[in-house]
Amino acid sequence: MLVFSMAAHPWPKQGNIVSDSSFSSLALPKALLSNLASLGYHEMSPVQAQSLPPMLSGRDVLAQAKTGSGKTAAFGLALLAKLKIESFAVQGLVLCPTRELADQVAEELRRLARGMANVKILTLCGGAPFGPQLGSLEHGAHIVVGTPGRIDEHLRKGSLSLEALAMLVLDEADRMLDMGFQATLDAIIAETPTTRQTLLFSATFPDESSSGGLAEMNRGVMCDPVIVKIAELHDARTIRQHFYSVANEEARFDALCQLLLVHRPATSVVFCNTKRETQAVAEQLTEAGFSAVALNGDLEQKDRDRILILFANQSASILVATDVAARGLDIAQLDAVFNYQIARELDVHVHRVGRTGRAGASGIACTLVTPKESYRLERLEGLLEQAVKTEPLPKPQHSVPFEPLMATLQLAGGKKDKLRPGDILGALTGEGGLRGEQVGKIKVLARSAYVAVERSVIQQAQAKLERDKLKGRAFRVRRIRY
């Protein structure tokens, strides 16, 4: 077992945690504070405690914060606190690297804003039809959340104006740069007022000596920013971390299967260093009888959506992904992380491991190491400032691969058909139907909806939805497989 931290780089103007970490200590509107209390948000997380006071005072902030740290609520509260609701001009813009993260951010902002009257939050992302977005923009919006490509497209077509923008947020900024969005970001920023406040959130910071990336971007975008950097700690009480020796590259896959059979996690992520490996490993795992799906940057949006829904609702047990593809995903209750190789960038190893053992839950992190990676292991020891010992692979007691807890049905109808999660739940649990606890997550999109049910009742659930009408209509229902 290991516990380790990432020491902060000596950046200037480091933010200080406020002495009172309660949200009520902040200068927030009463409607926001009341809603925070109803949501059960009372104490600020470290990144919130360090970043909210300077953001609320109007300072630019450059913050390092991983997914799950509370960063969205931090910049979300800063955005909402300064809105002039009577003006339907775009006052806040949040840029995200992917459509999934943009959707998550917009959903969280709407939760935070539900105590405020008439706040309109609009999502503008690639992969979605352009026409409906034009219609939404014509009705005005207070806050826009979107991906760089689609935001830039709207600006070039003149359908989006940022003249009244007061706050710009770059979420997962390092990933946007990794994905090649530098020129697009420059074009968007050029359309914003120089008087705007800028908030930049990133999972990693460059070294002081770095001549590109975030360091360069900061110089051209932010004005005397407050730096917020939280030391990232993994608690040995919640995360058990192991390093296992494997003889060579050919032995990695068998070793992974062995660890999966030993730990039998309900949900796990296998991190690979290349896109090609994610697909190959996922296919091999499926052939071996496991329920695995691959996530990488080459997937079309519809396939990416399907895979993430299957994994999020526990209808696929194993997500095989690259670091870039997995960044920004809200993966809760992750039982285990498996590093197929040591991450190429050693800081990334810490972020991988931090995916499990969240919110007090226990988790396991296993890393496979060949003799050729010994130098990388030595460097990792230096980063962690403690010895890392490899162990022999444990022997599984069961040789039969495990199945996921749930299965997923897709309905050919969604928000555009006035479908709500409650309608689907009601249809499934109505007379002669399922028990409530047999129904899992329900996700309703614009033109389709997904519902997870226990695997043992999947046929009963499908028959019930095909037989009974929802909103007075019959919708086509099919099972989604990986």
Side-chain angles (χ1 to χ4, degrees):
M1 297 184 194
L2 291 176
V3 56
F4 54 90
S5 66
M6 290 171 57
H9 293 298
W11 286 62
K13 294 184 178 62
Q14 187 89 4
N16 294 315
I17 295 179
V18 294
S19 56
D20 186 349
S21 62
S22 64
F23 282 105
S24 59
S25 67
L26 299 173
L28 291 172
K30 289 183 179 179
L32 273 178
L33 286 172
S34 177
N35 186 43
L36 284 171
S38 71
L39 292 171
Y41 293 180
H42 301 291
E43 296 294 317
M44 290 183 278
S45 70
V47 70
Q48 292 164 353
Q50 285 201 26
S51 66
L52 267 167
M55 287 192 293
L56 291 172
S57 70
R59 293 289 301 277
D60 284 4
V61 170
L62 173 59
Q64 179 183 11
K66 64 176 184 175
T67 301
S69 62
K71 64 182 174 66
T72 305
F75 65 69
L77 290 171
L79 278 167
L80 294 168
K82 297 189 175 186
L83 282 188
K84 298 176 181 177
I85 299 176
E86 67 278 5
S87 172
F88 266 89
V90 176
Q91 300 164 50
L93 173 64
V94 184
L95 294 174
C96 303
T98 66
R99 176 181 171 185
E100 295 83 33
L101 182 57
D103 287 340
Q104 291 170 18
V105 168
E107 188 173 335
E108 176 68 5
L109 292 182
R110 292 184 184 106
R111 287 179 71 237
L112 293 171
R114 69 184 186 187
M116 303 169 67
N118 301 318
V119 174
K120 185 174 180 183
I121 299 165
L122 184 60
T123 307
L124 300 177
C125 298
F130 198 83
Q133 294 180 356
L134 292 175
S136 297
L137 281 167
E138 287 176 359
H139 291 94
H142 296 103
I143 298 172
V144 168
V145 184
T147 50
R150 183 53 60 92
I151 295 295
D152 184 46
E153 188 176 0
H154 277 289
L155 288 171
R156 284 187 284 107
K157 291 181 182 296
S159 49
L160 172 64
S161 170
L162 299 179
E163 291 180 358
L165 192 76
M167 191 176 294
L168 171 67
V169 181
L170 304 175
D171 193 13
E172 297 279 5
D174 54 341
R175 186 180 169 198
M176 286 193 282
L177 294 177
D178 289 343
M179 295 170 71
F181 282 128
Q182 178 72 69
T184 306
L185 292 172
D186 290 344
I188 294 170
I189 291 167
E191 296 293 322
T192 64
T194 56
T195 54
R196 70 176 190 278
Q197 182 180 2
T198 306
L199 313 176
L200 192 153
F201 284 78
S202 171
T204 59
F205 274 179
D207 294 327
E208 279 188 298
S209 59
S210 173
S211 61
L214 286 176
E216 192 66 34
M217 188 176 189
N218 168 31
R219 294 188 190 99
V221 175
M222 311 189 83
C223 177
D224 191 28
V226 172
I227 307 298
V228 173
K229 192 175 193 301
I230 308 299
E232 190 169 345
L233 297 175
H234 298 323
D235 193 337
R237 293 170 297 179
T238 59
I239 300 177
R240 289 175 290 143
Q241 187 173 186
H242 303 274
F243 294 81
Y244 294 107
S245 299
V246 291
N248 49 46
E249 291 296 323
E250 291 71 27
R252 283 193 200 274
F253 181 74
D254 288 341
L256 174 61
C257 291
Q258 200 165 321
L259 291 172
L260 286 167
L261 290 171
V262 167
H263 297 295
R264 307 180 77 82
T267 56
S268 64
V269 173
V270 177
F271 282 107
C272 296
N273 288 346
T274 68
K275 297 176 185 178
R276 183 178 296 178
E277 280 173 336
T278 62
Q279 198 62 48
V281 171
E283 288 175 0
Q284 286 180 281
L285 286 172
T286 301
E287 289 172 5
F290 294 97
S291 62
V293 289
L295 184 68
N296 59 57
D298 290 340
L299 291 174
E300 292 186 11
Q301 190 64 49
K302 62 178 182 179
D303 294 324
R304 188 178 173 90
D305 290 343
R306 173 180 56 83
I307 285 167
L308 290 173
I309 287 170
L310 283 170
F311 185 69
N313 66 24
Q314 298 190 337
S315 295
S317 302
I318 306 163
L319 182 71
V320 188
T322 58
D323 294 294
V324 171
R327 280 277 297 282
L329 300 181
D330 186 14
I331 305 172
Q333 297 178 335
L334 193 61
D335 297 324
V337 164
F338 298 96
N339 296 311
Y340 205 59
Q341 307 97 350
I342 297 177
R344 287 173 175 166
E345 297 178 18
L346 297 183
D347 283 3
V348 171
H349 179 88
V350 180
H351 297 298
R352 287 181 177 183
V353 172
R355 291 281 185 177
T356 187
R358 291 185 175 180
S362 61
I364 298 165
C366 301
T367 302
L368 301 176
V369 185
T370 64
K372 288 185 177 180
E373 291 176 296
S374 58
Y375 75 96
R376 224 181 256 180
L377 198 60
E378 291 173 3
R379 289 177 57 209
L380 189 58
E381 283 185 320
L383 175 69
L384 306 181
E385 297 182 346
Q386 56 186 286
V388 174
K389 294 183 178 180
T390 57
E391 310 168 39
L393 286 164
K395 301 286 186 183
Q397 294 181 341
H398 306 280
S399 59
V400 179
F402 48 92
E403 292 185 326
L405 302 174
M406 312 294 279
T408 296
L409 295 171
Q410 180 185 22
L411 288 78
K415 292 178 181 177
K416 298 290 185 182
D417 305 287
K418 309 299 183 184
L419 275 185
R420 299 173 303 172
D423 300 322
I424 299 170
L425 178 61
L428 283 169
T429 58
E431 186 177 352
L434 279 57
R435 300 190 308 275
E437 62 269 20
Q438 293 177 310
V439 182
K441 289 188 177 181
I442 300 174
K443 180 80 170 179
V444 181
L445 304 179
R447 296 290 185 188
S448 61
Y450 299 84
V451 56
V453 299
E454 290 182 2
R455 290 175 61 84
S456 60
V457 296
I458 184 68
Q459 292 180 338
Q460 179 186 351
Q462 184 169 355
K464 186 85 165 63
L465 289 175
E466 288 174 339
R467 183 175 63 249
D468 295 356
K469 292 184 177 181
L470 288 86
K471 296 287 189 181
R473 293 179 53 189
F475 293 95
R476 185 167 53 85
V477 183
R478 68 186 182 102
R479 181 177 178 178
I480 301 297
R481 299 180 185 274
Y482 43 85

